Amino acid sequence: MATTEAAPAAKVGAIPSFEVTVRIRRYDPERDSAPHWEDYKVQVHGTDRILDALHKVKWEQDGSLTFRRSCAHGVCGSDAMRINGVNRLACKSLLKDLDPSKPITVEPIKGLPVEKDLVVDMEPFFQSYREVMPFLITSGHEPTKERLQSAHDRERFDDTTKCILCAACTSSCPVFWTDGQYFGPAAIVNAHRFIFDSRDEGADLRLEVLNDREGVWRCRTTFNCSEACPRGIQITKAIAEVKQALLTRKV
Ligand code: SF4
Ligand code: F3S
Ligand code: FES
């Protein structure tokens, strides 16, 4: 009697694992007078991300480790942190791109108050965001159909629509570090998104907000923000365009 045999499963090479030391800046305001570093040895694969390594520490070694994350796919913007001294999203940082022979340092983003471990208080960041009025401002009655816009006009602010409000840019800006009063690149990016939207009528209001002494003129064009942005937004270019709009506006 003829039998049908299942084809042998294709051999999949096992992905080699290796050990890394993750050096995390820990701070618990209820226990610690100051932040300190702690090392954790974790078995990982090159295809793992820093977020996976942090999960391993939290789930297998120390459940008190505190950090934010949600989507795990570079969309929500909640897990910006300083990894080996550079602002990145933990969920988009592959371990294979970091040198496993040295401890990988993970610390909170700079310039915002640390609440616990890798979690910072984002309120000052969102305060600046709210102040630039990141919503469409129009006059007159609500339209009865869609507000039309040409592809060319849409292109004008396409880049700045990509922001996920992760704060990697603002917290990498040396001007923001000095006193935290500067509006910061993220707020300017989100103002840009509406200032150059042909359907919006609030550009002058936003430009006036950014003409403040803590506004766009404090930018020293250091480019840290553009390098830090996980969405690849040309932030410094957007800031320059806002400055130009202020210089050429008719008041
Ligand atoms: Fe994050 Fe880029 Fe938006 Fe800054 S501009 S908040 S780095 S996505
Ligand atoms: Fe800061 Fe970016 Fe300007 S890092 S100084 S906002 S170019
Ligand atoms: Fe959402 Fe990383 S967890 S962007």
Side-chain angles (χ1 to χ4, degrees):
M1 192 169 74
T3 56
T4 45
E5 283 181 20
K11 274 199 171 171
V12 179
I15 304 170
S17 67
F18 54 93
E19 187 180 84
V20 291
T21 300
V22 187
R23 180 167 292 167
I24 305 174
R25 197 158 171 84
R26 304 290 310 265
Y27 174 62
D28 179 346
E30 292 180 2
R31 276 200 337 230
D32 306 324
S33 55
H36 61 280
W37 294 96
E38 280 188 33
D39 285 2
Y40 302 88
K41 293 200 182 307
V42 189
Q43 201 68 23
V44 294
H45 298 98
T47 48
D48 286 341
R49 303 144 315 158
I50 287 289
L51 181 61
D52 300 310
L54 292 176
H55 278 149
K56 278 189 163 229
V57 172
K58 184 171 178 69
W59 295 337
E60 297 168 13
Q61 298 186 41
D62 185 346
S64 72
L65 176 65
T66 304
F67 53 94
R68 287 195 182 103
R69 82 276 186 253
S70 181
C71 70
H73 291 286
V75 179
C76 72
S78 61
D79 62 343
M81 48 191 81
R82 238 171 131 71
I83 299 165
N84 281 355
V86 177
N87 279 9
R88 315 169 199 245
L89 295 180
C91 66
K92 289 193 76 181
S93 304
L94 288 174
L95 284 156
K96 73 178 176 57
D97 296 334
L98 303 166
D99 180 359
S101 68
K102 296 183 191 148
I104 297 166
T105 60
V106 184
E107 55 191 314
I109 49 177
K110 286 174 76 174
L112 292 163
V114 178
E115 292 198 323
K116 185 166 188 265
D117 295 336
L118 303 173
V119 172
V120 297
D121 177 6
M122 294 286 281
E123 181 50 30
F125 172 82
F126 283 115
Q127 176 65 29
S128 298
Y129 172 67
R130 284 192 293 269
E131 283 182 35
V132 300
M133 295 169 277
F135 42 82
L136 197 71
I137 297 174
T138 60
S139 57
H141 299 297
E142 286 296 305
T144 54
K145 57 182 182 177
E146 190 181 0
R147 296 176 203 271
L148 294 179
Q149 183 170 56
S150 71
H152 178 265
D153 284 346
R154 174 64 176 73
E155 184 61 28
R156 188 73 191 80
F157 61 96
D158 183 67
D159 199 32
T160 46
T161 63
K162 297 175 191 157
C163 178
I164 55 171
L165 294 171
C166 67
C169 56
T170 297
S171 62
S172 70
C173 173
V175 178
F176 184 74
W177 294 339
T178 56
D179 58 10
Q181 298 301 306
Y182 171 39
F183 271 82
I188 302 171
V189 159
N190 284 280
H192 178 287
R193 182 255 170 268
F194 290 98
I195 289 169
F196 294 97
D197 186 333
S198 59
R199 301 163 301 180
D200 185 84
E201 296 168 28
D204 279 337
L205 287 172
R206 294 189 194 88
L207 287 170
E208 206 42 58
V209 169
L210 292 174
N211 204 21
D212 185 89
R213 68 189 182 91
E214 303 298 346
V216 280
W217 306 112
R218 288 203 66 189
C219 169
R220 294 287 172 263
T221 326
T222 53
F223 279 91
N224 288 20
C225 52
S226 298
E227 284 162 17
C229 181
R231 304 287 294 166
I233 298 171
Q234 295 183 62
I235 302 175
T236 313
K237 177 168 175 264
I239 295 172
E241 289 175 357
V242 172
K243 286 179 178 172
Q244 188 61 26
L246 265 167
L247 291 172
T248 55
R249 74 180 170 154
K250 297 178 186 72
V251 282

